[in-house]
Structures are given as C-alpha cells and as structure tokens.
Amino acid sequence: MRMRTLTLAAASAAALLAAGVLPASASGATPKSAQEGSVSAASLLAKVTSCSQISNGKYRTDDETSATIPVCGKNGAVFWKADMDIDCDGQRTSKCNENADPWYQDDTAFHQSNGQPLKADSLPYIVVPSSSSIWKYSSYGIKGGGVVAVVYNNKVEYAVVGDTGPTNIIGEASYATASALGIDPDPATGGADSGVTYILFKNSTVSPIESHSAAVSLGDQLAKQFLANN
C-alpha cells in the first residue's frame, strides 16, 4: 500500500522539471488505449454524476490532504472519485520490488488461486480502504476478486479488488491498472492527482482472480446491467 505525501509528490515534480523530463501522462503524450469491453467511459460516467453517500464519513486521498472523498451507492455498485496512487505490492518482479518502491510489501490482501500474492505489474487491481467506522466494504457486497470499472481520461479498464489499504485513505490501484490507463505507473513518483472514477460491482467475483480476461468479460456484462438499472 503506497502512502504518498504531497511533499514527496511536489519534490518529485520539481526534480522532473529541473531535468526537463516529464512522465508521458504529464507531458501531453498520447496514453495507450485501455477501452475494454463495449461500454464507453462516457456512458458509465453519466450514471455517477451525483452521490448518495453510504460511508459514515469521508476519506483523504493522501496523508496530507483533508477528508473530502465519500463512498457513494448506486443500484448494483458503489463508487468513488479520487486520485490514483500506485500499488506495487505482491510478488516481487523487476518492476515491483524494494528498490523500485519505497513502500513495497511482498504480500497482498487477496491471493491468486495458487495461494501466491498478486502481481501488481501485470494484473489490474485496485485497493479498497480497510474496514473501519468510516466504511466496511464487505457490508456492501464488495470482496476480494470483485470486478471494478476504472475510468480515466475517457478510457475504461476492468480490474479486480486485490488489496486493502489504510482506513482513512482512498484512491489507489496496481502498477498494471495505471499503465493501461496511460498513467505513470512509477510507485515513487507516478500516479494521477485526480480524475479517476472507481465503480465496484456488488456481489461479483472473478475466478480465478488473476485472470484479467475473465475480469473484462464479467465486467462488460455487469457494466451493461449497471447502465440498465441506474
């Protein structure tokens, strides 16, 4: 679980500017396409323009920000609109390890079908806040392996619920999720400051959790139901 601070983010941006280098997502370069399934980003976003708050309070996006993000309820789903910090936890790879990620942990809350942690650099997954007095995700039909539509910059990426994080912070997804959406996936300096919508479909489970193709197939089906029921 990454816990980025604004100080670190500002320092990283300053260093990049000084070097004359910016990540693709910040330099105006065209991000690679991540439109998965048949439901458009615009169609999904049209259904989440207003919030019926189901959380008892609101979340921070980072340690140094104020709590402004509610969890909202819809028919068949919950959603929030936040930033995206990068989770590089789980199996150790060339992209996700102690050297690449200052906050690296070699485990995830939910595991592959063979019992191993998830692979953040190859599996699109998101992080949900650990259960607290603010919100308990399991009470709303959200569980490990559940399907999530992540919407950013007019693109849709289907992911699974793969990890849990701090009880007061929201807005985080795996290296692979960010990369697919054209967001800089560097766990130390990447991420998106805002504009990311997470739509979690209730009572859904991808099996096996590590099958991204299964997540896309089920996600497309549930997204169509979501449009029809809201």
Side-chain angles (χ1 to χ4, degrees), residues 1 3 58-63 65-69 129-132 134 165-170:
M1 168 66 199
M3 297 178 66
K58 296 181 180 181
Y59 288 94
R60 302 172 182 269
T61 56
D62 292 297
D63 285 335
T65 62
S66 56
T68 61
I69 309 298
S130 294
S131 296
S132 71
I134 300 177
T167 57
N168 64 338
I169 294 178
I170 206 166

Side-chain angles (χ1 to χ4, degrees), residues 5 38 45 60 63 82 97 102 150-151 167 226 229:
T5 66
S38 60
L45 292 178
R60 302 172 182 269
D63 285 335
N97 54 61
V150 186
V151 185
T167 57
F226 179 72
N229 295 334

Side-chain angles (χ1 to χ4, degrees), residues 5-229:
T5 66
L6 295 182
T7 301
L8 174 60
S12 299
L16 288 168
L17 286 170
V21 177
L22 284 173
S25 58
S27 63
T30 302
K32 68 179 184 179
S33 175
Q35 177 60 51
E36 296 185 323
S38 60
V39 178
S40 70
S43 296
L44 288 171
L45 292 178
K47 298 296 184 178
V48 295
T49 56
S50 61
C51 175
S52 176
Q53 184 171 332
I54 60 173
S55 55
N56 294 323
K58 296 181 180 181
Y59 288 94
R60 302 172 182 269
T61 56
D62 292 297
D63 285 335
E64 297 178 6
T65 62
S66 56
T68 61
I69 309 298
V71 177
C72 312
K74 299 289 285 188
N75 289 331
V78 304
F79 74 92
W80 55 81
K81 300 179 180 182
D83 65 343
M84 183 184 286
D85 290 339
I86 308 302
D87 190 325
C88 223
D89 294 340
Q91 293 189 45
R92 187 176 287 99
T93 67
S94 61
K95 296 176 181 176
C96 289
N97 54 61
E98 298 87 342
N99 295 325
D101 182 2
W103 304 272
Y104 176 75
Q105 299 177 36
D106 62 0
D107 200 4
T108 49
F110 307 107
H111 292 164
Q112 294 181 165
S113 56
N114 64 0
Q116 294 296 311
L118 304 180
K119 286 186 177 181
D121 65 355
S122 60
L123 180 68
Y125 69 74
I126 76 154
V127 179
V128 296
S130 294
S131 296
S132 71
S133 59
I134 300 177
W135 184 58
K136 186 176 181 180
Y137 63 87
S138 60
S139 296
Y140 289 84
I142 306 304
K143 49 192 171 183
V147 185
V148 186
V150 186
V151 185
Y152 177 78
N153 197 20
N154 202 36
K155 294 177 174 62
V156 179
E157 174 72 7
Y158 289 106
V160 293
V161 175
D163 205 359
T164 58
T167 57
N168 64 338
I169 294 178
I170 206 166
E172 185 173 16
S174 68
Y175 184 111
T177 309
S179 181
L181 289 167
I183 295 171
D184 180 2
D186 188 298
T189 60
D193 289 333
S194 62
V196 185
T197 300
Y198 304 80
I199 304 172
L200 292 69
F201 299 112
K202 296 179 179 179
N203 302 311
S204 62
T205 306
V206 173
S207 183
I209 189 174
E210 66 268 22
S211 173
H212 182 57
S213 61
V216 174
S217 178
L218 182 56
D220 191 51
Q221 174 187 337
L222 293 175
K224 292 175 182 177
Q225 293 179 10
F226 179 72
L227 296 187
N229 295 334

